[in-house]
Structures are given as C-alpha cells and as structure tokens.
C-alpha cells in the first residue's frame, strides 16, 4: 500500500468518526488515536489533504448542521441550535457564524446565501474502498407528483427546496412525513453550464396542484425497470455512487438505458438527521 493511500485511509476514518459523533467532545488527541497516528504529525497530514485543520473541520461540520436547522426548522430556536453546535453561548455562535458565512444566524434563517455557503464546503474527504453495498433491479411504479423546477446554478438548489417545503407546509398537500420525496437532475451539475442546469424537486400527490405563488405544478415519474443503488451519507458525495452505476455497473450488466434521467428517492432529510445518516435510493431507468 502506498504512503498516500495509507494517509487517505486515516483521514477517511477520522472524517467518518467526526460525522458520526458531532454531539460528543472531540479533541485532537482523540482524533489522532482514531487515525492511529501521533498528534504531532496527524494534524499536519490532515491539513495537507483537506486544506483545513481537524478542529476547523469539526466546527464547520457542526455549523453545517446548524445551517440546515436554521433554514429548514423554523420551530427550533437559535439558542438551541447554538448549544447543539457546541457553543458556550448564542453570542459566541452568532460571532462564529457571521465570521464564517458573512451572515448572522437570523439573516441566514430569513435569506440564506447558499452560493457563498457552499464555498466553505468545497473540501472533499477521500473515498477509500467501495461504498456500494448492493444494486437491485426493480419495477418502479408510476408516481403522480407535485414538483417545482430549479433552473440555474446547482449551488442554489436549496433555495428552491426551501420554496417547496414552504408550499408543503402552507398547503398541507404532499406532507413530508406521509409522502415520498424525489429529486430529478436532468444533467450532470459538474459538466453542465449553470444557466442550463435543471433539477426537479418532487413530492407524491394525487390530483391537480392548485395555482400557487411558489411555481409548484403537477408532474409524473413514469413506471419502468430501474437499477437501484442506495447512497449512504452526505448528498455532497452522491455523484460518487452515480458514477459507479454508469462507469462500473452498467457496462457489465448488459442493460440498456431508458430515455429518462436517473432520479433520487430521499428516505430522510438533512434537517432531520445528521449527514452521515442520510439514505438516498438512486434509480437508473433501464429498458
């Protein structure tokens, strides 16, 4: 095993530990022990790969969860969110939040600047080994959905998600707890000009969608055979599972693709669980 791969495995192990233990006290000594590496060296190894220190990574990961709480859980107070993020006071949380995102928690709650927010999370932990557990062939039953189209920069999708959540809460149609939620990317966000990118956010709903100010309308996800892979963890890494389906599984499967984009079935949501607990089924339509 190369030295580089050995270090990648240590970093991946530490990142996984942090994501799974956000509510615990996390020290450099603890992380060095997880990495099985001297604390005098590991912090430099980590920063050389990730571009930030382990302690910065811990705080940014907690702040990421806090951001989703602010944006999508209006019933949670900023005080509770601050303490959950391991700050000693709401004031300390507010200072750190503003320093990081150039918005106060209150400003972010009202009008989050997602494009700037994404720039703080452009580091990417290494991928070690295969994270694909199983791929199944299934027949997807046709779904009538309410949908909202996102058109524009991929980093602003969460603005459109917030509108769809508001529509769901305001109307009581396609309630989050009782309906299925889907996402349909019509192209690869990594290769599509931002002005041409389209992503539909959908929730199951029978019947016509009443006229509304959110731009939500009726739609359909067609029935048909699909290959399904379950992605576990952050949506930031979901492309790794998608590329696995296209690059490795599809050529060996003997299957042909249908004329409909791959789509996601969200089994839980980032404002409800920590990112490490996210589960998303990825459907690849096949003939």
């Amino acid at each position: 095993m190369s030295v580089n791969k050995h270090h990648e495995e240590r970093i991946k192990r530490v990142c996984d530990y942090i994501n799974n233990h956000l509510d615990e006290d996390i020290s450099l000594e603890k992380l060095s022990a997880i990495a099985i590496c001297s604390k005098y060296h590991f912090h430099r190894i980590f920063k050389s790969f990730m571009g930030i220190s382990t302690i910065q990574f811990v705080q940014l990961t907690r702040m990421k969860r806090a951001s989703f709480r602010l944006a999508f859980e209006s019933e949670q107070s900023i005080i509770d969110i601050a303490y959950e993020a391991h700050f000693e006071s709401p004031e300390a949380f507010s200072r750190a939040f503003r320093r990081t995102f150039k918005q106060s928690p209150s400003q972010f709650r009202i009008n989050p600047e997602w494009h700037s927010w994404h720039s703080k999370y452009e580091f990417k932990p290494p991928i070690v080994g295969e994270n694909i557990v199983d791929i199944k062939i299934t027949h997807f039953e046709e779904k009538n959905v309410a949908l909202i189209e996102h058109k524009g920069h991929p980093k602003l999708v969460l603005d459109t998600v917030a509108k769809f959540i508001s529509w769901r809460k305001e109307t009581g149609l396609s309630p989050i707890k009782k309906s299925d939620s889907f996402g349909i990317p019509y192209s690869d966000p990594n290769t599509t000009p931002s002005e041409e990118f389209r992503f539909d956010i959908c929730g199951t709903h029978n019947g016509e969608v009443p006229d509304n100010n959110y731009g939500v309308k009726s739609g359909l996800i067609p029935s048909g055979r699909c290959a399904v892979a379950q992605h576990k963890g952050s949506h930031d890494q979901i492309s790794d599972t998608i590329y696995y389906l296209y690059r490795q599984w599809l050529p060996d499967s003997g299957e042909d693709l249908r004329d409909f984009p791959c789509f996601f079935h969200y089994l839980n949501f980032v404002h409800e669980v920590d990112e490490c607990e996210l589960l998303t089924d990825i459907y690849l339509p096949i003939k």
Side-chain angles (χ1 to χ4, degrees):
M1 181 185 295
S2 70
V3 173
N4 213 42
K5 181 63 68 174
H6 187 56
H7 288 333
E8 285 182 354
E9 288 187 349
R10 291 177 172 184
I11 291 165
K12 177 67 164 60
R13 191 157 61 236
V14 165
C15 290
D16 287 346
Y17 179 85
I18 291 169
N19 284 316
N20 282 284
H21 297 83
L22 286 180
D23 294 321
E24 299 178 13
D25 291 329
I26 302 175
S27 65
L28 177 58
E29 288 77 10
K30 178 66 176 179
L31 297 180
S32 298
I34 297 294
I36 316 176
C37 183
S38 166
K39 66 179 181 181
Y40 300 111
H41 302 293
F42 180 69
H43 71 288
R44 290 189 173 88
I45 294 171
F46 188 94
K47 188 166 185 177
S48 70
F49 275 83
M50 300 293 290
I52 58 175
S53 71
T54 52
I55 301 306
Q56 287 174 312
F57 183 82
V58 171
Q59 185 178 70
L60 277 171
T61 305
R62 286 174 173 158
M63 296 274 264
K64 192 176 192 180
R65 180 174 64 176
S67 301
F68 292 130
R69 296 274 197 263
L70 290 167
F72 302 124
E73 294 191 9
S74 57
E75 66 278 7
Q76 280 217 28
S77 71
I78 293 177
I79 292 175
D80 289 340
I81 294 171
Y83 289 135
E84 183 189 45
H86 280 233
F87 284 87
E88 294 181 354
S89 69
E91 293 76 20
F93 171 66
S94 183
R95 287 193 297 271
F97 197 93
R98 183 186 288 276
R99 185 168 59 248
T100 303
F101 302 117
K102 311 307 178 188
Q103 287 185 287
S104 70
S106 298
Q107 290 170 334
F108 188 89
R109 168 160 272 177
I110 295 169
N111 185 30
E113 294 286 346
W114 289 116
H115 200 289
S116 173
W117 180 91
H118 274 285
S119 69
K120 303 300 179 182
Y121 295 99
E122 290 178 349
F123 51 79
K124 192 171 183 180
I127 300 168
V128 179
E130 291 295 352
N131 59 355
I132 306 298
V133 176
D134 193 18
I135 296 176
K136 300 176 181 178
I137 306 294
T138 187
H139 182 84
F140 182 84
E141 297 293 338
E142 179 182 284
K143 300 286 186 184
N144 291 302
V145 296
L147 67 85
I148 185 170
E149 294 181 0
H150 172 82
K151 293 181 178 178
H153 205 293
K155 291 182 178 179
L156 299 179
V157 166
L158 290 174
D159 275 336
T160 310
V161 170
K163 292 178 183 177
F164 192 62
I165 291 174
S166 295
W167 174 83
R168 284 178 134 176
K169 290 181 177 180
E170 183 178 302
T171 64
L173 303 175
S174 186
I176 294 176
K177 296 293 185 182
K178 298 180 180 179
S179 307
D180 291 329
S181 297
F182 298 93
I184 308 174
Y186 284 82
S187 58
D188 185 343
N190 297 311
T191 58
T192 305
S194 59
E195 66 273 11
E196 298 176 12
F197 181 68
R198 175 184 166 190
F199 187 95
D200 288 355
I201 299 136
C202 316
T204 50
H205 171 65
N206 291 320
E208 290 299 313
V209 174
D211 290 340
N212 59 87
N213 295 324
Y214 294 98
V216 177
K217 59 185 180 180
S218 298
L220 180 76
I221 303 178
S223 64
R225 293 177 72 237
C226 291
V228 186
Q230 187 165 98
H231 177 80
K232 298 180 180 179
S234 172
H235 295 159
D236 293 345
Q237 279 79 52
I238 202 166
S239 61
D240 299 324
T241 306
I242 295 171
Y243 290 148
Y244 177 90
L245 277 167
Y246 281 104
R247 291 174 180 169
Q248 298 187 48
W249 178 83
L250 184 62
D252 295 334
S253 70
E255 300 286 353
D256 290 322
L257 297 172
R258 282 192 284 128
D259 189 24
F260 192 78
C262 71
F263 57 96
F264 311 142
H265 180 197
Y266 301 109
L267 304 181
N268 52 17
F269 302 97
V270 73
H271 59 282
E272 297 176 337
V273 300
D274 290 342
E275 279 194 295
C276 60
E277 298 173 358
L278 286 172
L279 295 174
T280 309
D281 282 346
I282 301 173
Y283 285 78
L284 186 65
I286 54 179
K287 294 180 179 179

